[in-house]
Structure formats: C-alpha cells, structure tokens
Amino acid sequence: MARIVIIGGGVSGLSAGIYARLHGHEATICERHFVAGGNLTGWQRGEYHIDNCIHWLTGTNPHSPLYKMWEELGALGDVEIMKAPSLYTCEADGQSLSLSRDINTLRRDMLAVSPKDKRAIHSLIRAIESMQGLMGIAGKEHDKQSNPLELVGSIPVLIKYYGMTTKDMAEKFESPLIRQFLTSFLSEQFSSLALLFVFAHYCGDNADIPRGSSCGMAQRMTDRFLSLGGTLHLRKEADRILYENGKATAVTFTDGTTLEADYVVVTSDPATLFGKLLDMSMPKPLAKWYQNPNALRFSSYHCAFACDMEELPFQGDLIFPLPQKLRYRLHTDHLILREFSHEKSFAPKGKNILQTLTFCDEESSRRFIRLRKSKAAYNKRKACISKLVTEAITEKFPTMKDKLTCIDTWTPATYHRFVDSEMGSYMSFAFRSHVIPKRVNLKIPQLKNVFMATQWLQAPGGLPIAAESGKRAIEAVLKLERKKKALPAPSV
C-alpha cells in the first residue's frame, strides 16, 4: 500500500483521494481551509446561502461518460437532478431569447426572432446536433452516438466554427438580439466551439444542477472519501515538498509538522506551486501556456442580494444590457443576473436571493488583487460596485426598488486569497479559436513521484477537468506501482 499525500482538498484533490482509496492505497488530503471543496463552495450570510460555483454541471446525463465518474466520486447517484426549462435568457430592445432545453424549441425561437437569419440558424443547430453525436448524447432520448459515417459528415460542419470566436459567430447573424445571445454568456473572445459545447450539453440533458448545488456536491464527495477510509486534514497548509535524488520524500506544513510520502499529488495553480512549494521551474510545456498571450485567463466579480419578494419578475439566469451611464463604471455592456428559487433553503420563506456576475480580464483581475492591499480602498470599491449594480437591477425592474439589500460582494481578489490562484481565476485558460485544447503532462520531470492534478492542465478547466485530473494522477501512481511489482527481486 503506497502512502499518497494530496495537497489541496478541492475537486481535484477529493477525486485523487477517492480513486487512491478505491485502488487500496493510503490517501491523506491536506486542505488549508476549514472545509474541503475548493471552488466548489458556498457560504452563509445570515439566513441566506450564497452559491459560488455550479451554474450547470456537465455529466448529469446517465448516457454521458462523465456520469460514471461523478457516480464513482459520490457527486451524483441518488441526488435529485434539477432540470430548468432554459439555461439562460438574453434580452435586448424589448425582445428576449432563451437557451431552451429542447433544441427544436431553440430553433423555433431563433427563427421567430429573426426569420432573415434562417440559414445561419439552421447551420448553428446542425453544428449543435453534430457535437451531441460526438459526445453520445444525441437523439430524442439523448443517448445516441454518431456512427462512423455520421462522424465523417460532422467534421466539415464543426470545422467551420473552429476558427471563429463567439464574436465571429455572432457576426453571421443580422439580429442584434441573437448577436448578444451568442456573445454575452461567455465572452466575445471565447472559441465558438466552446459555446457550441455548452449548447450541445444543455440541449442533450447533460448540463443540469444536482440538488444542494455547490456545497451539497462538495459534501457528498467529502463523505465518499471519508467512507472509503481516507484521511482529511483541514486547516493544514503545505509549506514545502522535500525531495532528494529526484524523488519526493515528505511534505512539510506551516504548523511545523511533516508527512512522509511515497507519492505526492499537488492540486494548486501551477503558478503558485513552482517557486513556492517547489524550488524549481515550471515544466516547459506548461510554462508556454502561461507565457502565451493567446492563452487568456479571466475571473469575475459578483454581488449577492437579499430580495424581499416572493415572486420575481424573471426566472433563472437573465442577461440584459446596461444603461450607457453604467457601462463604463462597471466595465461591461450587460449584466448577468441569477435567481435561486430552485433551492428553497437558500433564502427565508417569502424571500429570494439574487446574484450577479461580471467577467474580468486578467488586467482587471490583477487590479482587484492589488487594490485589496488597502482594505479601505478595496471596501470602498466593493461598496461602489454594489451600489451601481443595485441601480442597474432596479432600473430594469422598478418593482424591486427598496426590496434589495446587498449582503456580499466578492472579486478576483477573493479567489486569489481563497484558492491561491495567481490572478484570481477559478477556471483555467480561456478556450480560444483555432485551438483544440490538449492536456499538458501531469508529470514533473525532475521528480518521478510527484504529479499535478489540476484544472490548469487543460483549457478551459472547470469541475469535470478538475475531477479527471485527480483520476489521472492516481492512474500514474498505479502505473509506477505496477512497474515496481514487475521488477525482479534484488540479489542478496
């Protein structure tokens, strides 16, 4: 039985720990915070619960390959999967368009908005269906995999979008509403394939929300790890990885303790791993990603509001344009507003909780991080944001005037502090056009028994990539263990 020390108790770390125990190895997860889950988290503000992570979870369709992994990790199984009729709604110029769960409804709604865009709409729907076939979630029951002939036919359909950003895709349409519908959910700089990926999964019943949202899923995975006999240390921050002769021997912690290890799995942002936990340079293939000007990183700032209303004037996620006077001050043209009526326990009876999300590029994210060095200046900026966002919401919905109370505002500086991400990103690199994201090797060349398990090994990151990276790290451990057993016994 190998001793595996896992640094970080987020999704990657929990996944690594669970798969290590499933294969009979000793697994110890060391998490510097008071709870496991990493970005998969939420928190209380009085009687209100703020959910940080899951807007949708890829892999909720039992026919999806990811579903089996989530079951093994305890993330799904008996838990209720909540299926909203639409993922988000976009409004512009008095019109609205929703990403409907039913792809035929989506086609119909887009044609109703803009009959002139008939050709571009049919092309988009055909691309979504082609991507569903590749993923095995096509057809009426969302269980159909493309056959070889269909796969060949889908290549030219999808290659058309390979070189497009969402902005390029949107420019194929005449309708201003459809253009905003295609660019406001992610950003204009993302690959159009990334948006097709979201559309394909949602319309394929493979992007829904498990009951309990982020904290519920984190707790189920934690319980799964502990039930398998894993050891979880909370409030235990790694300080250094000790090594000699190209092999890690132990991990030291800020509390002065040391854990010996046969293998070490590290789940942090590599930008904070190398030079901090390890006094060595980042592997060249990974360093190229960080140095590549086209490998964009991003984050966002958020506001949460207690809403003194039982019935809301919208449902789900709503994206609407901001008044011109607010665009410059909030650094965005539109606002993403979300309600949580699907989780009754998140707010007191007769009330609701609302959250907003505004994307930030890397430069803006770093400004928030620098600003936090002055607590007064940082709090002043957060208060200004909450005031402006309140103004935007109440101007959009006058019935909400005097019904909203901002209960929290968090920024890229929050993520920088909480998950030790270099520039406050909670996902990895943006999925750009002309790129098919490849996984970077999880090995650290200088150390044969240390592996990275992190979403940063593949764009665009996210929960499935994080979980798969933990699984792959343990597969690498198993491979080395098999080699050990295959070696002949040393002569005496």
Side-chain angles (χ1 to χ4, degrees):
M1 179 188 294
R3 296 168 300 174
I4 305 173
V5 173
I6 301 161
I7 300 174
V11 170
S12 300
L14 289 168
S15 173
I18 289 167
Y19 281 110
R21 290 301 304 144
L22 286 172
H23 287 92
H25 294 291
E26 183 180 314
T28 302
I29 295 176
C30 300
E31 166 57 48
R32 68 192 185 107
H33 289 294
F34 62 89
V35 65
N39 276 314
L40 188 65
T41 189
W43 54 91
Q44 289 295 128
R45 287 293 179 265
E47 297 180 278
Y48 295 86
H49 181 79
I50 296 171
D51 185 79
N52 175 71
C53 185
I54 300 180
H55 285 246
W56 73 92
L57 178 67
T58 307
T60 55
N61 182 337
H63 302 291
S64 163
L66 281 175
Y67 187 87
K68 180 183 178 183
M69 179 187 69
W70 288 133
E71 279 200 310
E72 289 173 338
L73 294 174
L76 297 181
D78 294 334
V79 66
E80 177 190 358
I81 302 298
M82 296 178 285
K83 298 178 179 292
S86 63
L87 182 61
Y88 72 98
T89 298
C90 189
E91 291 189 355
D93 300 323
Q95 290 183 298
S96 66
L97 179 62
S98 299
L99 175 55
S100 172
R101 174 176 299 281
D102 179 67
I103 197 167
N104 292 317
T105 301
L106 175 61
R107 186 202 318 263
R108 183 198 67 204
D109 291 348
M110 294 182 79
L111 288 170
V113 166
S114 183
K116 291 181 180 179
D117 285 316
K118 179 179 179 179
R119 185 174 180 179
I121 291 168
H122 286 317
S123 176
L124 174 63
I125 298 298
R126 188 161 59 251
I128 295 171
E129 291 174 332
S130 294
M131 188 165 280
Q132 287 179 331
L134 290 174
M135 298 168 181
I137 53 173
K140 187 176 180 181
E141 301 300 323
H142 309 301
D143 59 354
K144 182 183 176 184
Q145 180 84 46
S146 294
N147 60 44
L149 187 61
E150 289 169 330
L151 286 174
V152 171
S154 69
I155 292 173
V157 174
L158 293 175
I159 217 145
K160 171 182 176 182
Y161 294 92
Y162 168 73
M164 293 186 195
T165 63
T166 57
K167 181 180 179 181
D168 298 329
M169 179 200 285
E171 288 175 350
K172 303 293 182 184
F173 295 82
E174 291 187 31
S175 164
L177 174 59
I178 294 179
R179 288 186 177 191
Q180 182 170 312
F181 179 73
L182 296 174
T183 57
S184 59
F185 185 65
L186 296 177
S187 88
E188 293 184 347
Q189 296 177 312
F190 264 74
S191 166
S192 64
L193 286 178
L195 190 65
L196 288 177
F197 180 88
V198 174
F199 283 19
H201 279 293
Y202 189 73
C203 295
D205 270 352
N206 198 39
D208 296 300
I209 304 176
R211 175 68 67 188
S213 295
S214 303
C215 280
M217 180 170 163
Q219 188 61 57
R220 289 191 296 274
M221 291 181 68
T222 302
D223 292 343
R224 171 71 164 154
F225 173 65
L226 295 175
S227 72
L228 291 169
T231 300
L232 174 63
H233 293 305
L234 299 174
R235 296 187 182 275
K236 196 169 186 69
E237 182 174 3
D239 181 49
R240 301 290 287 180
I241 298 173
L242 305 181
Y243 61 92
E244 58 184 39
N245 300 321
K247 184 178 179 182
T249 57
V251 179
T252 64
F253 297 87
T254 55
D255 61 6
T257 61
T258 299
L259 283 177
E260 295 183 350
D262 298 311
Y263 298 93
V264 177
V265 175
V266 189
T267 69
S268 64
D269 180 348
T272 62
L273 163 61
F274 296 97
K276 184 177 178 182
L277 294 178
L278 281 173
D279 55 350
M280 56 181 61
S281 300
M282 188 183 293
K284 287 184 179 179
L286 189 55
K288 284 182 179 179
W289 270 108
Y290 279 86
Q291 296 161 6
N292 186 342
N294 291 320
L296 300 180
R297 291 182 284 178
F298 63 95
S299 187
S300 54
Y301 66 80
H302 311 249
C303 294
F305 296 89
C307 180
D308 190 17
M309 297 175 68
E310 186 168 10
E311 298 294 327
L312 296 172
F314 73 99
Q315 285 187 321
D317 287 21
L318 176 68
I319 305 174
F320 62 92
L322 288 173
Q324 197 65 43
K325 62 183 179 180
L326 295 178
R327 293 185 180 189
Y328 173 76
R329 300 187 69 185
L330 289 173
H331 303 285
T332 183
D333 292 339
H334 55 266
L335 194 66
I336 301 176
L337 178 62
R338 190 179 187 206
E339 57 91 14
F340 290 83
S341 59
H342 55 280
E343 290 281 12
K344 300 298 183 184
S345 64
F346 282 13
K349 188 176 180 180
K351 303 180 187 293
N352 274 287
I353 184 166
L354 310 180
Q355 290 177 207
T356 63
L357 179 153
T358 306
F359 287 111
C360 303
D361 60 19
E362 186 167 341
E363 182 182 348
S364 298
S365 298
R366 291 189 184 277
R367 280 202 299 268
F368 273 112
I369 293 169
R370 290 194 298 268
L371 185 63
R372 194 179 180 276
K373 293 178 181 178
S374 168
K375 188 174 181 180
Y378 181 65
N379 287 338
K380 182 178 179 181
R381 176 60 180 149
K382 289 202 299 180
C384 179
I385 287 172
S386 67
K387 180 180 178 181
L388 293 172
V389 171
T390 302
E391 182 180 343
I393 297 172
T394 54
E395 188 163 323
K396 170 68 178 174
F397 298 113
T399 56
M400 287 189 177
K401 188 173 177 60
D402 301 324
K403 301 289 187 180
L404 298 178
T405 303
C406 185
I407 55 176
D408 207 355
T409 301
W410 62 106
T411 77
T414 310
Y415 295 108
H416 172 71
R417 175 177 57 85
F418 186 69
V419 295
D420 206 19
S421 169
E422 183 190 32
M423 48 73 57
S425 179
Y426 44 81
M427 293 183 70
S428 65
F429 307 100
F431 185 169
R432 302 296 303 278
S433 62
H434 295 93
V435 173
I436 299 297
K438 296 180 180 179
R439 287 192 301 221
V440 178
N441 198 312
L442 51 74
K443 296 179 180 178
I444 298 174
Q446 303 95 316
L447 298 173
K448 60 184 178 182
N449 65 336
V450 179
F451 302 101
M452 293 179 285
T454 170
Q455 63 174 338
W456 288 91
L457 299 180
Q458 185 178 358
L463 298 180
I465 289 175
E468 286 181 323
S469 73
K471 181 179 182 180
R472 288 175 57 240
I474 300 306
E475 288 171 350
V477 169
L478 298 176
K479 186 176 180 180
L480 289 179
E481 285 293 293
R482 286 193 295 270
K483 283 185 178 180
K484 284 182 183 179
K485 293 178 180 178
L487 290 175
S491 58
V492 178

